[in-house]
């Protein structure tokens, strides 16, 4: 380990391994370390035995839950938008051949305690039980406007400047009712709070367009998911890094991050050995002792094992349900992700359902009770409380490029935005001839690509 590297990456979460792969392909000498004996960090997928060991005081799983090896339980439950940035990143980096995906069966939203399918097309809008007849027509008009809108084509703007008018003003323009606004903003545009109503409407429209484009890819829902769990994503990006010379070390405790007299990172010490480097990339958990991150909140995740599909979802083997904040008097939405045997995450007849939300009170479990009531009787529940950290350092001065913790959102769009922002910051510190730009609309051309 006593060598010198361009980059040392700490943690094998999805963000860290993606950055590791990107830096390796860019021709940098990369050492990648993780204190755990498995890939994924806080975004790993664990077996049933591992879940009980980590979150049930080492108890043995009861035999009625089935074989431990048939479970791949995500610690961070998220789906991928079929036309979203993570899919584009997988295509861009040519890592799709390491993975196999399956479409999620359904997308649902809760209104007054009842589960409804999210309407995203004109046909679905007319059939939906979420709205009355006249509201359906108004919603249809809104959908047509969103689908026809092109930022570069003023003829599609219909006299509206979406960079100036707010989301609330756009909804008012179409005469949409409050409950319709609720599911459009939170189940179509996938905003986590109502702050978007006070912001320019352009982002709202683009988010709705992403949902519709993703839905059009396969038809049932806009989401896809890798077979065998989200832990497959870090492994795929790790392979990309290894193919381009990245060195990986699991079960490698990080004793100390070393800094020079000017406070700039110069190495990482582990088990008495120090690897030198020019920069460090890592998840926030590796920088807690260095004062380079701050806690900005918490996320509650209730991992439930069921012997039945979630009620009122058309017996879907996999689905997402969103409870908009206003439906339960909160400031943040509650998300429910359900996965079954067809996703290779549970034995036949078992379902892994995860309820998650941003914590607002001193009793986070009580906060998500409205979601737990929708599930029926679970066989087992694990309660996971995760702190959310974000960096407060200046990476141009100390050479430490730190990701933010995974938030409560139900998809990876914010995670990829974080990765791209970090990558751009890293490139800005390099000499112009070493910089490698990313265009997600084009495939990556690595060092050994012809």
């Amino acid at each position: 380990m006593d060598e010198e590297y361009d980059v040392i990456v700490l943690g094998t979460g999805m963000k860290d391994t993606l950055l590791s792969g990107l830096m390796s392909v860019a021709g940098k000498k990369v050492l990648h370390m993780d204190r755990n004996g498995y890939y994924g960090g806080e975004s790993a997928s664990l077996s049933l035995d591992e879940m009980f060991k980590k979150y049930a005081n080492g108890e043995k799983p009861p035999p009625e839950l089935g074989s431990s090896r048939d479970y791949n339980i995500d610690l961070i439950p998220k789906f991928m938008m079929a036309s979203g940035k993570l899919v584009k990143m997988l295509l861009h980096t040519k890592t799709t051949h390491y993975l196999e995906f399956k479409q999620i069966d359904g997308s649902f939203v809760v209104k007054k305690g009842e589960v409804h399918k999210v309407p995203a097309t004109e046909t679905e809008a007319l059939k939906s039980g979420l709205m009355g007849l006249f509201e359906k027509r108004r919603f249809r008009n809104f959908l047509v406007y969103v689908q026809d809108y092109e930022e570069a084509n003023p003829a599609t703007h219909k006299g509206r400047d979406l960079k100036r008018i707010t989301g609330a003003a756009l909804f008012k323009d179409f005469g949409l009712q409050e409950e319709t606004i609720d599911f459009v903003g939170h189940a179509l545009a996938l905003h986590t709070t109502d702050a978007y109503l006070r912001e320019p409407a352009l982002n709202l429209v683009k988010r709705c367009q992403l949902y519709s484009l993703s839905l059009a890819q396969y038809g049932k829902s806009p989401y896809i998911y890798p077979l065998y769990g989200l832990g497959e994503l870090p492994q795929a990006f790790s392979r990309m890094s290894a193919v381009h010379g990245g060195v990986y070390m699991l079960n490698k405790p990080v004793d100390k991050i070393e800094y020079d007299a000017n406070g700039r990172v110069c190495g990482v010490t582990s088990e008495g050995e120090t690897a030198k480097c020019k920069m460090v990339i890592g998840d926030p958990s590796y920088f807690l002792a260095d004062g380079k991150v701050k806690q900005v909140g918490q996320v509650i995740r209730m991992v439930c094992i069921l012997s039945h599909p979630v009620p009122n979802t058309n017996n879907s083997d996999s689905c997402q349900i969103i409870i908009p904040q206003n439906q339960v008097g909160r400031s943040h939405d509650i998300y429910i992700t359900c996965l079954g045997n067809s996703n290779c995450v549970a034995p036949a007849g078992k379902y892994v359902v995860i309820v998650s939300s941003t914590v607002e009170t001193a009793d986070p479990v009580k906060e998500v009770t409205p979601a737990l009531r929708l599930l029926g009787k679970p066989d087992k529940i694990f309660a996971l409380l995760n702190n959310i950290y974000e960096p407060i350092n200046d990476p141009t001065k100390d050479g430490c490029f730190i990701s933010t913790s995974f938030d409560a959102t139900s998809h990876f769009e914010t995670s990829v935005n974080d990765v791209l922002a970090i990558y751009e910051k890293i490139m800005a510190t390099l000499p112009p001839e070493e910089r490698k730009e990313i265009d997600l609309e084009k495939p990556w051309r690595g060092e050994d690509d012809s």
Side-chain angles (χ1 to χ4, degrees):
M1 184 177 149
D2 291 318
E3 292 185 47
E4 187 160 350
Y5 297 85
D6 294 315
V7 185
I8 295 178
V9 182
L10 304 178
T12 55
M14 189 280 287
K15 296 181 184 181
D16 318 304
T17 51
L18 176 48
L19 284 164
S20 173
L22 292 174
M23 296 306 293
S24 295
V25 174
K28 300 302 176 186
K29 187 178 180 182
V30 176
L31 172 64
H32 203 139
M33 302 166 58
D34 195 310
R35 63 171 79 93
N36 299 306
Y38 51 82
Y39 286 95
E42 67 169 334
S43 56
S45 301
L46 303 185
S47 69
L48 193 62
D49 285 342
E50 289 169 329
M51 283 296 293
F52 270 82
K53 182 179 180 180
K54 193 173 178 74
Y55 299 107
N57 299 317
E59 294 176 23
K60 293 289 183 183
E64 56 267 26
L65 293 182
S67 171
S68 170
R69 72 178 78 180
D70 289 335
Y71 285 91
N72 291 290
I73 301 172
D74 296 329
L75 299 184
I76 305 290
K78 289 183 185 287
F79 291 147
M80 298 164 61
M81 302 292 285
S83 294
K85 289 181 179 177
L86 183 54
V87 170
K88 289 181 179 179
M89 183 65 81
L90 288 165
L91 292 168
H92 176 77
T93 55
K94 303 178 183 177
T95 46
T96 48
H97 59 283
Y98 296 130
L99 299 159
E100 190 174 350
F101 297 93
K102 186 178 186 298
Q103 185 191 17
I104 297 302
D105 290 340
S107 178
F108 300 86
V109 65
V110 172
K111 175 186 174 185
K112 295 181 179 178
E114 294 185 358
V115 179
H116 298 264
K117 189 178 188 308
V118 177
T121 66
E122 296 172 45
T123 304
E124 287 186 345
L126 293 173
K127 293 180 180 177
S128 176
L130 281 166
M131 301 164 282
L133 179 61
F134 295 113
E135 183 69 358
K136 285 178 180 178
R137 290 176 179 171
R138 290 188 286 265
F139 175 61
R140 176 190 172 280
N141 291 337
F142 173 79
L143 275 183
V144 170
Y145 176 78
V146 167
Q147 289 166 0
D148 290 345
Y149 182 87
E150 296 176 28
E151 189 175 358
N153 183 1
T156 66
H157 299 182
K158 307 299 183 187
R160 301 180 181 95
D161 184 353
L162 298 191
K163 293 180 180 178
R164 294 178 64 87
I165 68 170
T166 64
L170 182 63
F171 285 137
K172 186 177 181 181
D173 227 15
F174 284 92
L176 295 183
Q177 296 174 355
E178 209 168 284
E179 289 183 334
T180 307
I181 292 171
D182 230 15
F183 86 76
V184 170
H186 295 267
L188 282 182
L190 299 174
H191 285 287
T192 57
T193 72
D194 275 347
Y196 77 96
L197 290 170
R198 300 180 294 276
E199 297 167 354
L202 182 60
N203 188 37
L204 165 67
V205 168
K206 286 186 173 181
R207 280 170 167 256
C208 290
Q209 287 179 333
L210 172 60
Y211 190 101
S212 295
L213 282 171
S214 298
L215 182 68
Q217 293 280 352
Y218 302 106
K220 288 184 184 177
S221 84
Y223 306 110
I224 60 174
Y225 179 86
L227 296 184
Y228 303 102
L230 294 177
E232 295 295 294
L233 291 173
Q235 293 194 57
F237 292 130
S238 298
R239 291 187 191 107
M240 176 178 72
S241 178
V243 164
H244 290 87
V247 177
Y248 276 76
M249 295 183 180
L250 298 180
N251 273 322
K252 199 69 176 167
V254 175
D255 299 331
K256 187 181 180 185
I257 299 174
E258 306 287 349
Y259 301 91
D260 63 20
N262 297 316
R264 189 169 185 86
V265 71
C266 59
V268 174
T269 298
S270 174
E271 299 176 316
E273 297 179 305
T274 300
K276 297 178 180 179
C277 65
K278 299 170 185 174
M279 69 177 74
V280 170
I281 298 170
D283 79 54
S285 67
Y286 287 89
F287 297 90
L288 295 175
D290 295 4
K292 295 184 182 298
V293 298
K294 67 174 181 179
Q295 184 178 340
V296 293
Q298 290 183 307
V299 175
I300 178 70
R301 297 183 174 99
M302 305 293 287
V303 179
C304 309
I305 298 174
L306 275 60
S307 294
H308 56 268
V310 177
N312 303 309
T313 60
N314 304 321
N315 290 319
S316 297
D317 200 50
S318 60
C319 67
Q320 175 181 265
I321 305 171
I322 295 176
I323 306 178
Q325 57 178 72
N326 293 328
Q327 294 293 316
V328 283
R330 305 184 76 246
S331 299
H332 297 83
D333 296 347
I334 303 175
Y335 300 97
I336 303 171
T337 61
C338 172
L339 295 160
N341 178 253
S342 66
N343 307 102
C344 302
V345 301
K350 297 293 182 183
Y351 299 83
V352 176
V353 181
I354 305 179
V355 174
S356 55
S357 189
T358 301
V359 173
E360 297 178 5
T361 71
D363 191 353
V365 175
K366 185 178 179 181
E367 292 181 52
V368 295
T369 299
L372 296 174
R373 287 198 198 103
L374 298 174
L375 306 184
K377 186 179 179 182
D379 299 334
K380 176 65 181 177
I381 297 182
F382 303 90
L384 284 59
L385 190 61
N386 302 107
N387 294 333
I388 303 174
Y389 297 100
E390 63 181 31
I392 55 173
N393 67 313
D394 183 349
T396 62
K397 293 180 179 178
D398 61 19
C400 296
F401 295 86
I402 308 169
S403 60
T404 57
S405 303
F406 286 97
D407 57 24
T409 55
S410 61
H411 53 80
F412 280 106
E413 297 303 290
T414 55
S415 302
V416 178
N417 286 341
D418 189 26
V419 168
L420 290 173
I422 293 171
Y423 184 79
E424 288 174 7
K425 288 178 184 176
I426 293 171
M427 289 296 112
T429 67
L430 300 178
E433 66 274 10
E434 294 182 21
R435 295 174 188 172
K436 194 173 180 70
E437 301 301 319
I438 289 180
D439 183 349
L440 291 183
E441 302 305 323
K442 298 178 182 178
W444 182 278
R445 294 188 66 81
E447 297 298 308
D448 55 2
D449 288 339
S450 56

